[in-house]
Amino acid sequence: MPAPVISAHQLVKSYKVKGKPDFVAVDGLSFEVAPGESFGLLGPNGAGKSTTMKMIGAVSTRSGGDLQILGLDPDRYGPEIRSRLGVVPQQDNLDGELNARENLYIYGRYFGLSSKVCHERADELLAFAQLEDKAKNKVDQLSGGMKRRLTIARGLINDPRILLLDEPTTGLDPQARHVLWDRLFRLKERGTTLVLTTHYMDEAEQLCDRLIVVDKGRIMAEGTPASLIREHSSREVLEVRFGSDRNAQVAGQLAGIGDRVEVLPDRILIYADNGEAALERVTSLGLEPITSLVRRSSLEDVFLRLTGRSLIE
C-alpha cells in the first residue's frame, strides 16, 4: 500500500481565552488520506473543519498530536509543504485589478516558477477551467462560477500533490456547481489528492471517496458515503408535513412506523426500508399530511442521526 499523503493522529488545536478555559477547536482527530483520494470533512459551522484545513495547509500550528503532510511535519517544514499544496479558500481572493490570465501568471511567479513556465501553465489552466475566452477579462467581469473556476485553476499553478478546497461551491447556482464538479473529477483522474470541506450533502456524495463527519472537534463517523448511509440510516425516508404547529403533536401517533421518527421544525422524517408502505400506515391512522415525499436516504440523514442538527445552521 502506498504511504498516506496526510496522516493525523490525535490532532488537537486549542486557543487561549482570557479568563476562561482554553477553547478546543479540534479535539483528537485521527485519519489518513491516501494518494489520489478525494477526502471530505463534513460538519456544521464551528465543527473544526476549517481549523483542521489550516493545520494541513501548514499555516496554523497544532496544539497536540501528530500530523504528517507528504511525510513531513508541517510545524517544522511549513514552506516545503506549502510549495507542494494547492489551496482554494472559502472566499475568492483574486486580484480584481488583473485579468484572468494575469492572476494565474503572477501567482505562479510567487512559487518561483520561470516566466516561460508561468505563461505555459496559465494557458493550460485557463483551458482546464473553460476560461480561454475570458483570459483578458478583469476578475470583476466574471460570474461567480467563473471566479470559482479561476480560483481553482490558480491553486493548480504549482502542480500540487494535494489540493485543499474549503467549501468550493458555496453560493453557486446548480449549473455552475456541476461544471465545477466536472473539473474536480478530472483532477481526480489525473491523480491529484483532493481534501475538501462542504455543507452540501450531494456534493460530498458526488466528490468524496471517503469522509469524516466532525462535530465539536471530534470525529462522529468515518467511511465512504454509501457505507455511512448503510450504517446510520434506513434504505428510504418518508418526509411528511402537517404544519409547523402540528408536527410535534402528530409525532407521538407515528411511533412504531418504520425504524425511527425524527421531528424537525418544518417536517417529520420517518426512516423505513419501504417509504411507500410507511406512508400507507400514516394515512391508515386517519392522518392526512399536507405534503409527503418518499426518497432515498442521504448523508444529511446520517448527520441528523449523529448530531440531531442540520449541517446548515
Side-chain angles (χ1 to χ4, degrees):
M1 293 291 291
V5 292
I6 300 173
S7 179
H9 180 68
Q10 293 298 310
L11 187 62
V12 175
K13 179 66 178 183
S14 59
Y15 297 94
K16 298 289 184 183
V17 181
K18 188 175 181 179
K20 297 181 180 179
D22 290 354
F23 171 70
V24 182
V26 175
D27 190 8
L29 297 190
S30 296
F31 59 89
E32 291 185 344
V33 181
E37 186 175 28
S38 182
F39 185 81
L41 289 86
L42 257 58
N45 292 329
K49 306 184 304 295
S50 293
T51 301
T52 302
M53 292 284 271
K54 289 177 181 177
M55 288 188 283
I56 293 173
V59 294
S60 178
T61 58
R62 64 187 181 277
S63 304
D66 296 317
L67 181 62
Q68 295 284 314
I69 311 298
L70 299 170
L72 301 173
D73 183 337
D75 288 356
R76 296 180 59 196
Y77 299 98
E80 291 89 338
I81 291 172
R82 289 191 293 272
S83 70
R84 300 160 75 182
L85 299 180
V87 178
V88 178
Q90 193 172 126
Q91 299 294 328
D92 292 325
N93 56 359
L94 300 162
D95 193 326
E97 298 300 312
L98 303 177
N99 64 35
R101 195 173 191 280
E102 290 167 341
N103 265 274
L104 298 179
Y105 175 85
I106 296 297
Y107 198 69
R109 294 293 282 167
Y110 290 150
F111 284 94
L113 302 178
S114 70
S115 179
K116 180 175 182 293
V117 169
C118 286
H119 281 302
E120 291 173 351
R121 292 288 292 161
D123 290 338
E124 292 171 4
L125 291 169
L126 286 169
F128 170 79
Q130 296 181 312
L131 293 172
E132 294 163 291
D133 59 337
K134 304 293 183 181
K136 295 184 179 180
N137 285 50
K138 292 290 183 66
V139 166
D140 293 341
Q141 298 173 316
L142 303 179
S143 68
M146 292 175 183
K147 290 178 182 177
R148 210 65 184 132
R149 298 206 305 273
L150 182 60
T151 302
I152 289 177
R154 188 189 62 179
L156 298 169
I157 196 73
N158 60 324
D159 194 20
R161 292 274 307 279
I162 303 170
L163 182 64
L164 306 179
L165 302 116
D166 198 357
E167 298 184 23
T169 65
T170 296
L172 298 185
D173 61 64
Q175 184 179 21
R177 290 177 68 209
H178 281 276
V179 172
L180 201 57
W181 288 354
D182 175 68
R183 300 299 97 183
L184 295 176
F185 273 125
R186 291 171 186 266
L187 284 177
K188 271 189 60 180
E189 291 175 343
R190 295 180 183 184
T192 303
T193 301
L194 306 180
V195 180
L196 66 138
T197 71
T198 181
H199 278 305
Y200 298 124
M201 298 299 90
D202 56 341
E203 181 162 274
E205 291 187 47
Q206 288 282 337
L207 296 180
C208 296
D209 300 317
R210 196 164 51 87
L211 55 90
I212 55 176
V213 178
V214 181
D215 190 28
K216 298 177 181 177
R218 296 182 177 181
I219 293 177
M220 308 297 291
E222 179 177 357
T224 66
S227 69
L228 289 173
I229 292 170
R230 284 195 302 269
E231 182 179 354
H232 296 284
S233 191
S234 57
R235 181 173 176 270
E236 293 184 340
V237 180
L238 168 63
E239 296 188 6
V240 288
R241 287 180 168 85
F242 295 92
S244 57
D245 56 340
R246 290 194 62 220
N247 285 334
Q249 300 172 12
V250 171
Q253 301 177 56
L254 303 178
I257 299 179
D259 302 327
R260 181 168 56 93
V261 175
E262 184 92 40
V263 182
L264 301 181
D266 62 331
R267 63 195 188 278
I268 299 173
L269 306 182
I270 301 174
Y271 295 88
D273 285 336
N274 188 323
E276 292 292 348
L279 180 58
E280 290 179 6
R281 289 194 61 187
V282 171
T283 56
S284 71
L285 295 173
L287 300 172
E288 294 293 335
I290 298 171
T291 63
S292 62
L293 170 69
V294 175
R295 59 171 174 80
R296 289 279 188 171
S297 284
S298 70
L299 281 176
E300 185 166 353
D301 299 307
V302 172
F303 197 85
L304 287 169
R305 177 69 181 272
L306 294 172
T307 70
R309 294 181 291 157
S310 173
L311 276 168
I312 301 177
E313 298 181 320

